[in-house]
């Protein structure tokens, strides 16, 4: 069974640009969550999608957005990049459900560097 | 919202000794508590989890205990080996419709096992 796949693995962007990251969950998983990981702040929750609907949102500015497609693949977009957006962006997929939490498995992440 | 505190932030042990990492949570609605291990440059990997209807769970050298009354849970690693060296994250997930699918992470513990 294939794991969670994130593309691209590495990105270098300049300030002001926008970027789109992609996440393909484990087959059969309907929930995809996104986290930002930085040395100083740990794992910060961005948002979670379940069956194409955003179910949860963290405390990030509106420059951070996401979506989920009917095949459960998800994308996140960051517009008007700032230096502080440099981080490892991780997505996690889980089977989840309307009333229960299940194991979440992470992708290898996309390392974004903003210069 | 949920708040997860993790201690210690760093832990050094001799090979063969035991290691204990402790976490506390604030939301009594949390009912799912996973632990992740992240080696340098790699994705967080789920190593063990526990649900609120269970007080203890064991998997070979790893065990997790949960005290719902005190709102704390702990990871125990026995007979540590150098390959156990990594950052360990605890997390909590409330069973509440508005937060399903979201994991609240502790800040992580850097475990170093010396040969």
């Amino acid at each position: 069974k294939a794991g969670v796949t994130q593309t691209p693995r590495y990105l270098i962007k300049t300030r002001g640009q926008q970027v789109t990251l992609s996440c393909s969950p484990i087959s059969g998983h309907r929930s995809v969550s996104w986290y930002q990981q930085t040395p100083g702040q740990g794992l910060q929750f961005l948002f979670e999608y379940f069956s194409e609907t955003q179910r949860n949102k963290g405390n990030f500015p509106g420059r951070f957005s996401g979506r989920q497609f009917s095949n459960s693949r998800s994308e996140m977009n960051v517009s008007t990049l700032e230096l502080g957006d440099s981080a490892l962006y991780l997505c996690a997929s889980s089977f989840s459900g309307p009333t229960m939490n299940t194991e979440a498995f992470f992708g290898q992440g996309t390392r974004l560097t903003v210069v | 919202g949920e708040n997860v505190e993790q201690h210690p932030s760093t832990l050094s042990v001799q090979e063969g000794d035991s290691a204990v990492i402790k976490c506390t949570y604030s939301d009594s609605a949390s009912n799912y508590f996973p632990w992740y291990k992240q080696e340098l440059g790699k994705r967080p990997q789920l190593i063990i989890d526990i649900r609120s209807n269970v007080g203890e769970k064991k998997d070979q050298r790893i065990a997790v205990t949960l005290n719902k009354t005190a709102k704390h849970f702990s990871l125990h690693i026995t007979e540590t080996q150098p390959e156990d060296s990594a950052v360990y994250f605890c997390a909590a997930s409330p069973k509440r419709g508005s937060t399903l699918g979201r994991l609240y992470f502790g800040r992580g513990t850097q475990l170093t096992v010396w040969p």
Side-chain angles (χ1 to χ4, degrees), chain A residues 8-73:
Chain A
R9 291 289 311 280
Y10 303 94
L11 267 177
I12 299 176
K13 292 284 187 179
T14 56
R15 278 179 297 175
Q17 286 188 310
Q18 75 164 19
V19 66
T20 299
L21 313 181
S22 179
C23 174
S24 293
I26 292 170
S27 178
H29 284 192
R30 297 182 293 171
S31 168
V32 175
S33 301
W34 288 89
Y35 294 85
Q36 182 194 66
Q37 186 175 31
T38 57
Q41 297 298 318
L43 284 151
Q44 300 288 306
F45 174 77
L46 283 153
F47 28 66
E48 185 252 356
Y49 287 86
F50 178 78
S51 293
E52 301 180 66
T53 300
Q54 187 181 84
R55 192 165 58 170
N56 283 287
K57 190 176 191 306
N59 297 322
F60 277 80
R63 299 185 297 107
F64 292 81
S65 63
R67 59 178 175 169
Q68 186 179 36
F69 302 96
S70 58
N71 62 357
S72 293
R73 189 178 70 86

Side-chain angles (χ1 to χ4, degrees), chain B residues 17-112:
Chain B
D17 287 350
S18 295
V20 180
I21 302 170
K22 299 182 178 182
C23 290
T24 60
Y25 62 99
S26 61
D27 192 340
S28 57
S30 286
N31 68 335
Y32 176 63
F33 307 91
W35 286 87
Y36 288 85
K37 173 184 179 182
Q38 188 175 29
E39 296 175 76
L40 191 62
K42 296 190 176 180
R43 74 184 81 191
Q45 288 197 299
L46 178 68
I47 57 172
I48 196 167
D49 57 11
I50 192 168
R51 295 190 182 274
S52 58
N53 59 345
V54 175
E56 184 174 358
K57 186 176 179 180
K58 196 172 182 179
D59 183 5
Q60 298 183 346
R61 298 186 296 108
I62 295 173
V64 57
T65 58
L66 171 65
N67 183 326
K68 284 193 298 182
T69 304
K71 294 198 186 72
H72 68 70
F73 56 113
S74 301
L75 178 71
H76 304 251
I77 306 174
T78 58
E79 301 170 24
T80 54
Q81 301 166 4
E83 50 265 40
D84 293 330
S85 296
V87 179
Y88 291 80
F89 292 95
C90 64
S93 187
K95 182 185 176 182
R96 183 183 294 118
S98 62
T99 55
L100 274 173
R102 174 173 182 169
L103 291 172
Y104 292 79
F105 282 92
R107 297 294 288 266
T109 296
Q110 172 68 63
L111 173 64
T112 303

